[in-house]
Amino acid sequence: MRVLLTNDDGIEAEGLQALRRALLERGGDLELAVIAPDGNRSAFARMITTRRPLWVSEVDFGDGTKGYATDGTPVDCVRLANLGLVDGFRPDVVVSGINHGANLGDDISYSGTVAAAIEGVILGVPGIAVSQQSSGREYDHRFGSEFDFGVAAQFAARIVAQLADTAGAADGRIPLPPGTLLNVNVPAGEVRGVQVSRLGKRIYRDELRLEHEDEGGRRYWIYGRDPGFEDEEGTDLAAVHAGHIAVTPVHFDLTDLEGMDALVRYDLQRLVRPAASEVE
């Protein structure tokens, strides 16, 4: 099975390197390619590069293997792999991480780590996003500087190996529903178990804070305060808070089916008729 490893913290990031080594140790039928940004692209979400060419350079990891660094975004990295940057390689699964900091609840919509996994899903291959809480036990990706990636690396590598084993089964299918990725968050400290969870709800405490003002204008901070969360049982936030690895299946289809039903029931002719009369 061909595995693409990427991230949003940069190709030299400790989290990516820990997962890279763990995947290589699995060996077997895993074929690993590493394509990642050349620097930190945290919170870039699904940003793509369309108005300039991408610079790509080889990176020697010093153990007989190499990867590719680009000045693009995490999503660009997945696109590069799928379009054939590495000869003879098209990913069967996209693994993104290990992120330096958690990606939980509402925060996943900002995450470059999760965005790369989403891109895999869009291209028709499973995606796995892996994030590690810092030793300070913050619950988002903006804080913390000390991390232990050992458990997260082994856990993620084991999941990938299991996907590879299943891919070799008679039906040849990887056991993830189409259009679904796994968002994995590993707590700091002792891990007490694994919980399949749903996305939780954030409580943001952002504020507008003036940093500097002169004749040219003003500079503001608009983020910075530690966000809280609703400690609701069954959510990823509650799971990590309790010391469990949170595994959340995420579907990219954002269609509100109940909203569609409501619109169908609504008399759309009443909405369309005035506009139509203006062009008749």
Side-chain angles (χ1 to χ4, degrees):
M1 185 170 73
R2 296 178 295 274
V3 180
L4 170 65
L5 177 61
T6 189
N7 71 349
D8 70 354
D9 291 311
I11 197 165
E12 302 291 349
E14 183 181 351
L16 179 141
Q17 292 299 323
L19 184 48
R20 183 185 68 84
R21 291 189 293 268
L23 289 167
L24 289 175
E25 289 170 3
R26 288 283 168 179
D29 294 329
L30 293 184
E31 180 183 350
L32 180 64
V34 180
I35 306 175
D38 58 10
N40 194 296
R41 305 287 192 276
S42 294
F44 270 40
R46 285 189 37 75
M47 183 184 295
I48 58 175
T49 305
T50 61
R51 297 181 182 273
R52 62 172 178 83
L54 294 171
W55 178 266
V56 178
S57 59
E58 289 190 4
V59 176
D60 187 344
F61 293 130
D63 58 2
T65 66
K66 65 180 180 181
Y68 298 87
T70 176
D71 60 351
T73 70
V75 172
D76 291 332
C77 294
V78 180
R79 288 281 178 175
L80 284 168
N82 194 64
L83 292 171
L85 177 68
V86 182
D87 288 342
F89 181 93
R90 295 291 191 283
D92 296 313
V93 61
V94 173
V95 182
S96 183
I98 303 168
N99 189 65
H100 292 221
N103 280 300
L104 296 160
D106 300 319
D107 288 345
I108 72 165
S109 62
Y110 305 118
S111 168
T113 302
V114 177
I118 289 174
E119 192 65 19
V121 169
I122 290 174
L123 296 174
V125 300
I128 303 171
V130 187
S131 302
Q132 172 66 55
Q133 186 183 41
S134 80
S135 60
R137 298 185 184 277
E138 292 90 356
Y139 291 91
D140 73 346
H141 60 280
R142 293 180 292 166
F143 305 96
S145 58
E146 296 183 4
F147 298 89
D148 182 351
F149 295 104
V151 171
Q154 293 302 320
F155 183 80
R158 179 64 182 271
I159 289 178
V160 172
Q162 289 177 312
L163 293 179
D165 290 342
T166 307
D171 60 7
R173 292 182 300 173
I174 294 177
L176 286 177
T180 300
L181 65 94
L182 293 182
N183 188 43
V184 178
N185 281 273
V186 180
E190 181 181 356
V191 174
R192 299 177 180 175
V194 180
Q195 182 176 327
V196 177
S197 57
R198 67 182 185 277
L199 294 176
K201 183 62 181 175
R202 274 292 190 196
I203 301 173
Y204 292 109
R205 302 189 180 100
D206 299 324
E207 60 184 16
L208 185 67
R209 180 165 57 88
L210 179 65
E211 181 196 53
H212 177 76
E213 181 176 8
D214 57 30
E215 63 277 5
R218 295 184 291 269
R219 289 206 303 265
Y220 289 97
W221 289 101
I222 61 173
Y223 306 111
R225 295 193 61 190
D226 187 15
F229 62 92
E230 297 180 6
D231 193 4
E232 185 179 358
E233 184 177 356
T235 65
D236 55 353
L237 285 152
V240 170
H241 182 65
H244 293 87
I245 296 175
V247 180
T248 305
V250 177
H251 202 291
F252 183 63
D253 185 355
L254 302 179
T255 305
D256 181 357
L257 298 180
E258 292 184 4
M260 287 185 63
D261 292 340
L263 284 174
V264 168
R265 291 192 300 269
Y266 185 79
D267 183 4
L268 290 179
Q269 289 300 319
R270 184 174 58 181
L271 177 66
V272 172
R273 195 175 299 114
S277 65
E278 293 186 8
V279 297
E280 289 177 351

